[in-house]
Amino acid sequence: MDTNIVNTGNLCLMTGNANPELAKKIAEYIGVDLFDTYVGKFNNGETQVMIGDSIRGKDIFIIQPTSQPVNDNLMELLIMTDACKRASAHSITAVVPYYAYARQDRKTRGREPISAKLVANLMVAAGMTRVLTVDLHAGQIQGFFDIPVDHLAAAPVFADYFNGHDFGGELVVVSPDLGGVTRARILADFLKAPIAIIEKRRPRPGEAEVMNIIGEVEGKVALMIDDIVDTAGSLCEGAKALKKLGAKSVLAVCSHAVLSKNAVEKVNNSDIEKLVITDTIALPPEKESPKIIVLSMAKSIGDVILRIQARRSVSQLFR
């Protein structure tokens, strides 16, 4: 971190209840304290926000992934933004490492909502002037906003971790579906490895069926990459198919660990030897596992915040 590029005197970091540990790590990295903010509930269940001191003219960064409970965390973010706008903040950047509703980015059948666009509208209407997020499910969601969006990738963090391992030239990066090829290619370029692609279909929402694998995986260390691990069905079925086709071992990386229902149990009982995730979503103790390794996005997010504050380009960080 170049501490000379920015004066942090006007920078103000706030957090809701979604992931305060990540917010603390970002604040420590930048070298500021989290601003005194109370985010709780009234007796009737409505969200209550109280900001402890004047923020007039301040540049606010609200760190709040919209993870489970999704609607509570989203409302906290919107109401915190409204409070800051009405307190005459100079700018309000929503740091949303995990963007909820991102998988509802288009209509796949009649009479469906495009919820990812609705959430973007709500965020802009609340008064946000900028959004910083990590590994959107679909990059085109950036176009749903009428404000600047900084889209950070977790691939460099994963690459730093795996570059410390010797795979003997046998590593292959695997996309779990056709839509994730670009994400797999980015990580493969960092690791100087070839890619393979799992072709699958979804007979029902939340279920995946492997149809074919494109690329050479026999005798290889297969590293699957996805943006979200939710029920873990795709990853576990993909790992099973890779092992059947002769992969020596199977690893997986996912930016956002939703891990709903019995996902952790599935991972523990699967052919996946190691699942590497980031802390964009807080991992509660009941979801911890010897197979799951958590890497922090705090430094990467902190560097972007500093460059935004210094009015400097952030694009080189994304490369």
Side-chain angles (χ1 to χ4, degrees):
M1 176 179 63
D2 184 357
T3 56
N4 296 319
I5 69 172
V6 60
N7 179 358
T8 57
N10 211 47
L11 187 155
C12 179
L13 291 186
M14 295 181 180
T15 182
N17 294 309
N19 198 339
E21 287 303 314
L22 175 60
K24 289 175 186 175
K25 290 177 183 177
I26 294 170
E28 288 172 5
Y29 177 73
I30 291 175
V32 298
D33 293 326
L34 287 172
F35 202 78
D36 178 22
T37 311
Y38 172 78
V39 184
K41 289 186 181 297
F42 290 104
N43 291 333
N44 62 1
E46 295 173 356
T47 298
Q48 180 184 17
V49 171
M50 293 188 294
I51 299 173
D53 206 347
S54 173
I55 55 170
R56 183 179 296 273
K58 297 282 188 181
D59 294 310
I60 310 298
F61 292 83
I62 303 173
I63 301 166
Q64 178 81 341
T66 47
S67 49
Q68 295 173 315
V70 175
N71 296 333
D72 286 350
N73 288 331
L74 177 59
M75 282 304 299
E76 285 185 7
L77 175 62
L78 297 175
I79 293 173
M80 290 176 73
T81 300
D82 185 74
C84 291
K85 179 180 69 173
R86 295 177 187 280
S88 301
H90 176 259
S91 65
I92 306 168
T93 298
V95 182
V96 188
Y98 171 67
Y99 183 81
Y101 292 100
R103 287 175 282 183
Q104 299 180 45
D105 63 322
R106 64 195 184 281
K107 291 181 69 172
T108 58
R109 58 179 68 88
R111 298 172 297 282
E112 276 191 337
I114 304 179
S115 304
K117 171 59 174 169
L118 173 61
V119 171
N121 289 346
L122 291 170
M123 291 168 69
V124 173
M128 296 167 195
T129 56
R130 191 180 199 100
V131 172
L132 167 57
T133 188
V134 177
D135 279 339
L136 286 168
H137 182 66
Q140 60 266 28
I141 290 174
Q142 296 170 82
F144 290 177
F145 290 88
D146 293 325
I147 56 176
V149 177
D150 292 307
H151 188 203
L152 185 61
V157 175
F158 292 136
D160 283 346
Y161 175 79
F162 284 106
N163 274 329
H165 296 66
D166 182 11
F167 296 106
E170 297 177 340
L171 183 69
V172 58
V173 177
V174 181
S175 171
D177 53 40
L178 296 172
V181 173
T182 300
R183 189 178 299 111
R185 170 54 62 197
I186 292 171
L187 181 59
D189 286 346
F190 276 114
L191 297 174
K192 296 179 174 57
I195 70 168
I197 306 165
I198 297 175
E199 183 185 5
K200 69 183 181 186
R201 70 183 183 95
R202 290 189 178 275
R204 287 168 293 278
E207 295 183 15
E209 180 181 326
V210 174
M211 306 295 291
N212 187 30
I213 294 182
I214 305 165
E216 181 58 49
V217 298
E218 186 174 359
K220 302 284 189 179
V221 177
L223 175 59
M224 289 191 293
I225 177 172
D226 210 347
D227 61 321
I228 300 171
V229 52
D230 189 347
T231 63
S234 293
L235 285 184
C236 294
E237 287 299 315
K240 185 190 297 183
L242 289 167
K243 290 291 284 187
K244 281 183 179 179
L245 288 174
K248 181 189 294 185
S249 62
V250 180
L251 309 170
V253 296
C254 289
S255 306
H256 312 298
V258 176
L259 296 173
S260 59
K261 298 182 178 178
N262 62 336
V264 175
E265 182 183 350
K266 284 184 185 176
V267 171
N268 287 337
N269 296 328
S270 74
D271 292 303
I272 298 171
E273 292 187 6
K274 187 183 296 183
L275 172 60
V276 183
I277 62 174
T278 75
D279 57 355
T280 57
I281 297 175
L283 186 70
E286 65 270 17
K287 293 184 180 180
E288 292 177 355
S289 163
K291 281 192 174 185
I292 297 177
I293 295 172
V294 183
L295 306 180
S296 183
M297 290 296 298
K299 178 181 181 298
S300 299
I301 293 173
D303 283 335
V304 176
I305 289 174
L306 285 170
R307 286 183 172 270
I308 291 171
Q309 185 64 11
R311 313 297 192 260
R312 291 185 59 176
S313 171
V314 300
S315 60
Q316 69 185 74
L317 296 177
F318 300 155
R319 294 194 293 270

